[in-house]
Each structure stands twice: as C-alpha cells, then as structure tokens.
Amino acid sequence: MANPKITFIGAGSSVFMKNIVGDILQRPALAGAEVRLMDINPTRLEESEIIARKLISTLGVPATVQTYSNQRQALDGTNFVVVCFQIGGYEPSTVIDFDVPRKYNLRQTIADTLGVGGIMRGLRTVPHLWSICEDMLEVAPDAIMLQYVNPMAINTWAISERYPTIKQVGLCHSVQGTAAELAHDLDIPYEDIRYRSAGINHMAFFLNFEHRQPDGTYKDLYPELHRAYREGRAPKPGWNPRCPNKVRYEMMTRLGYFVTESSEHFAEYTPYFIKEGREDLIEKFGIPLDEYPKRCVEQIARWKQTSEDYKRADRIEVKQSKEYASSIVNSVWTGEPSVIYGNLRNNGVITSLPNDAAVEVPCLVDDNGLQPTYIGDLPPQLTALIRTNLNVQELTVRALVEENREHIYHAAMMDPHTAAELDLDQIWNLVDDLLEAHGDMLPEWARGTRKQRVA
C-alpha cells in the first residue's frame, strides 16, 4: 500500500507536531508516512525536524521527514494538511489582545475564540488559511485539511464561505477532554462512558452522557453530575489550580446540559460571570482572569527546557494523545471506519442553527472522507445561547469575505461579554485601538483610521 504524504503548516509548534506525528507513526498502515514540515521560523523548524527524526528512530518505523520554508512546495501532491500556526504569536499579538481591552476595564480569560480577542485573532488568521486553500487548489486539490487553529469556528466558516470545494475539518480536543474530566469527577472509567455532543466549537453540549452497566444497558449520568455539584464533590481539582471549573457546572444547573469547553473559556462567552464591580462572582466561580498570557509565559519557559532535552536525548518517549488527526488519516487512508467530533459547515445537520454556520458534531470517517451525522433541533435554550456566539462569528466572517471594516465593529458590538461591559462609543474606540495596535498583522483593508462616523 502506498504511504500517505502529510504536511504540517506551522510545524514549529513542536510539541503539537510531536504528538500528532507520534500518533500517526504508531498506526501500522501509516508507519511509512512521508512527513513534511513547513514553518517560516528556521530555528523552530530545525527543532521540529530533530524531534520528528528521533520519533521515527524511537519507533523503528520507515517514515521519512522533509522540511520546507515554502508553503506551496510543502503542499505539492500532499494527501493531508495539518494546520497548527498562530499568527502574531504571544508577542506582540496575544499581549495586544489583552492589554488594549484592559485599558477599557474589559477583562478576559483566554481571548482566542470569541470577544474582541477572538475577533482580532480571526482577522489575523483567516487570510493565511485562505492562502493555504489557494495553494491546495493548485497543487493538492484532493487533500484534506485538518485545521487546529483558533478561532476554530470563525476559521472553518470563513474557509467554507470562500473555498467551498476544500475538504476541511476543524479539530479540537474539548469534547473528549471534557468527557474524561466528567468521568474523573464521578470516579467512573472513561472507557465505560457513552456520550453524544453537538453545537459549535467551544459551545457544544452533551445531549447524552451515560454509563454502561454490567447488563449492557446505559444509565443517565446527569442526575449524578447535578448531585455531585450540589454536594461539593464536583468539580474535582484539575491540572490547573487557577481554573476550578465551576462555571460549567453552574451553567449545567441553569441549562440542563454540560458544555464541552472549559470554564475559563465559557466565562467570557456569556455576560454572566465577568462584571466590573462584581469581584464576588470572580471569587465564587474562580474566574482566572488573564489566564492565557500566564499560560503562554509558562509554556515558553517550559519549551526552552524541553527543546534542550529533546536535542540531547537519543530516544523520545511516545504516548498516544487524545487528538483526532491520526484516526482521521488512518480511516481515510485504509477505509477502517472511526467516529470523531469535527467542525464543518452545518448544511442542515443541526436544524435549529443556520446552514452556513460551522458546527461541531460527531462524524463518521472512512475512505469516503468525513461524513457528519444528523442531529436535528437542539434544545431551545442551547440554540438561543449558541446564537449569541454565532452573531459574532458571522459578522467577523462577513467582514473578512466582504472586506468590510464596519462589520468588525458590529461583531464586537454583538459580543455578549463586551456588550455587557462597554457602551457603544467604548466598543468603537476599543476596536479602533486594537486595529491600530495590530497594524500589519491584519489584512490591509482592516488597517488605518476609521472615517468619521455619521451621527
């Protein structure tokens, strides 16, 4: 059987690349894969090449590695495209996305998906994703894009809007990660859990969450989740002591369903938890303000040590990660079916959401590609909350597709958290300041000074 060609755009994200390549090469049908690493940072690219070669040596597989600084060359004739870059990086862009809103007393936690931070990241990111699509159409029209970049929903929506023939899926680990967290909270083995989730990226909900019984039947776990939260047994401490995960449990008591993205994310997707003058809410729910910059600083410091360790090591430990990429590649390449959670254009899969929105649903994967499963209507309260996020996503996509700067302001105006904290003049001035601060990180049409608004 022929070996797949797998291209990583943004391969300088070395830890992520290591996990995906390690997953892929542990699958027998993919062990001879041609791994193509592309990045614009030569230092990071070299580090990733060293890691990839040591993975191959550790596993004793016949895979090969090639490196590229030219995106089009890296894509030529490839079968799969894994996208994992961050435009603007921690500095300057993430710092800008937090520092400028803070001047308006608009506080954030992660700022990579929604809100003014998510909007700005979308404006920075989508044009580069579109450039990959253009090259794919020319040199790899049948390849599948596995897109791991935030803001996931905005990116997926924008790609399907401008390049509808590109085969793409947005991938996140929030669904399977949250299912494992809840299993841990209830002291139930993850392997004994059955669930079904649907919605949009970072705001999907477990429509079913069940425990397999010895007799083969399934028990609904929602009553136990409610009981554990009420009695203080859940949430249990997680990997990050700054993030106690109380927001999602509280929202479950109000909505009846558990959301698939973390509490630190969810706190800024709604207007209920981060409010000026309400430090009681911050304390009660353990809202980790400015969490993402803290993680970035920690990750940068950790990577300095990790990269040196990898360079010195003869072998690199390989563990299976929880990412879906290798499962997708294996199923498409061999025909062996699998089920993953992916982000794709809705096209009527969730009937209570717009057809052109990017939705996150269970997908069957085999040699026919990715096939989303039908969901139907979501419960009305979930649909209503999701729509508040779709408003921001849609207007950001419209701004990009139409090169309409005014829609950037409209997107910020509709954001639930921003609108709860700032008045209209503040929102407009904040967007101006962000656009100016990001400068040439943004597409040219979004730069410059706003024309005087007509009263």
Side-chain angles (χ1 to χ4, degrees):
M1 187 176 185
N3 293 315
K5 300 178 181 68
I6 305 165
T7 298
F8 287 76
I9 304 295
S13 300
S14 301
V15 173
F16 179 81
M17 181 280 306
K18 168 189 171 287
N19 290 339
I20 301 298
V21 171
D23 290 349
I24 287 170
L25 298 185
Q26 289 179 79
R27 294 182 179 268
L30 310 178
E34 178 183 312
V35 177
R36 301 176 175 186
L37 305 178
M38 182 270 160
D39 203 280
I40 59 173
N41 184 321
T43 301
R44 296 299 297 270
L45 183 59
E46 182 183 7
E47 290 173 345
S48 291
E49 181 185 10
I50 291 170
I51 293 170
R53 293 193 183 282
K54 289 186 177 182
L55 284 172
I56 291 170
S57 176
T58 298
L59 292 168
V61 294
T64 59
V65 178
Q66 298 183 43
T67 60
Y68 300 83
S69 59
N70 182 282
Q71 176 177 287
R72 190 181 181 92
Q73 290 176 1
L75 292 170
D76 193 0
T78 198
N79 305 113
F80 301 93
V81 183
V82 182
V83 185
C84 45
F85 56 69
Q86 181 183 344
I87 303 299
Y90 167 61
E91 291 181 317
S93 291
T94 295
V95 172
I96 291 170
D97 284 340
F98 277 84
D99 284 356
V100 174
R102 195 181 296 114
K103 295 176 183 177
Y104 290 81
N105 293 321
L106 181 63
R107 300 174 296 175
Q108 302 172 101
T109 53
I110 306 294
D112 69 353
T113 298
L114 209 72
V116 290
I119 293 166
M120 291 299 132
R121 186 178 282 227
L123 295 174
R124 298 194 303 268
T125 302
V126 167
H128 293 271
L129 288 169
W130 280 346
S131 78
I132 296 172
C133 293
E134 290 168 5
D135 284 343
M136 287 175 65
L137 289 176
E138 290 293 324
V139 300
D142 295 324
I144 297 176
M145 179 190 286
L146 311 181
Q147 197 259 115
Y148 275 98
V149 184
N150 279 321
M152 178 70 64
I154 288 172
N155 295 341
T156 306
W157 193 331
I159 290 171
S160 68
E161 194 73 19
R162 175 163 283 190
Y163 297 99
T165 63
I166 289 288
K167 301 172 185 175
Q168 61 142 340
V169 60
L171 297 172
C172 181
H173 50 241
S174 61
V175 174
Q176 65 271 41
T178 294
E181 286 181 68
L182 294 181
H184 173 68
D185 283 351
L186 298 180
D187 295 314
I188 295 172
Y190 175 68
E191 296 73 22
D192 293 342
I193 299 291
R194 181 176 76 171
Y195 57 85
R196 189 167 184 248
S197 169
I200 61 174
N201 182 238
H202 286 193
M203 196 178 274
F205 294 85
F206 289 109
L207 304 178
N208 305 100
F209 197 76
E210 301 169 325
H211 182 202
R212 184 185 298 108
Q213 302 299 295
D215 63 358
T217 60
Y218 286 85
K219 175 185 177 183
D220 178 14
L221 286 174
Y222 266 116
E224 181 56 29
L225 286 171
H226 282 274
R227 191 178 307 112
Y229 180 54
R230 191 168 56 247
E231 295 174 0
R233 293 183 286 110
K236 290 182 178 178
W239 68 275
N240 187 340
R242 295 191 297 262
C243 304
N245 203 26
K246 294 180 181 179
V247 167
R248 292 195 287 175
Y249 272 93
E250 183 66 21
M251 289 300 291
M252 177 187 68
T253 70
R254 313 291 176 151
L255 297 172
Y257 297 88
F258 204 92
V259 73
T260 57
E261 187 46 76
S262 67
S263 287
E264 55 267 29
H265 276 278
F266 201 67
E268 63 182 8
Y269 301 160
T270 64
Y272 312 121
F273 297 98
I274 306 173
K275 292 178 175 292
E276 186 176 2
R278 292 299 307 276
E279 299 308 304
D280 58 313
L281 293 174
I282 303 299
E283 182 177 353
K284 178 179 179 181
F285 295 107
I287 310 296
L289 297 171
D290 298 322
E291 172 62 20
Y292 188 58
K294 293 173 186 174
R295 289 186 192 178
C296 290
V297 171
E298 292 167 354
Q299 287 167 356
I300 291 168
R302 194 160 54 238
W303 173 245
K304 288 181 180 179
Q305 182 58 50
T306 302
S307 63
E308 290 302 315
D309 291 344
Y310 284 155
K311 288 176 184 177
R312 290 192 298 264
D314 294 326
R315 296 170 58 85
I316 295 179
E317 183 181 11
V318 185
K319 294 181 179 179
Q320 200 74 31
S321 82
K322 58 186 177 181
E323 306 294 352
Y324 287 129
S326 70
S327 178
I328 294 171
V329 174
N330 185 69
S331 292
V332 171
W333 200 248
T334 68
E336 178 186 344
S338 64
V339 175
I340 62 99
Y341 277 84
N343 293 267
L344 310 95
R345 192 178 193 275
N346 186 16
N347 289 338
V349 169
I350 299 180
T351 48
S352 55
L353 298 180
N355 278 338
D356 54 353
V359 296
E360 187 171 76
V361 295
C363 301
L364 171 67
V365 191
D366 57 20
D367 47 8
N368 289 306
L370 291 113
Q371 302 139 73
T373 59
Y374 178 80
I375 299 296
D377 279 358
L378 294 176
Q381 71 275 25
L382 304 186
T383 296
L385 189 60
I386 289 170
R387 282 174 178 160
T388 66
N389 282 216
L390 288 181
N391 292 334
V392 182
Q393 294 167 9
E394 181 174 22
L395 284 163
T396 305
V397 172
R398 289 281 157 263
L400 285 154
V401 171
E402 300 169 12
E403 299 188 356
N404 184 336
R405 185 181 164 116
E406 286 301 304
H407 284 332
I408 303 173
Y409 302 90
H410 299 152
M413 173 185 175
M414 297 300 169
D415 176 64
H417 174 47
T418 304
E421 294 290 281
L422 305 184
D423 65 33
L424 290 171
D425 283 338
Q426 289 174 314
I427 293 171
W428 254 249
N429 292 333
L430 169 57
V431 170
D432 277 342
D433 290 350
L434 283 165
L435 295 177
E436 181 179 0
H438 281 297
D440 59 9
M441 289 289 178
L442 301 174
E444 189 172 354
W445 58 266
R447 304 173 203 164
T449 304
R450 172 169 48 100
K451 295 178 181 178
Q452 183 65 39
R453 186 165 50 85
V454 179

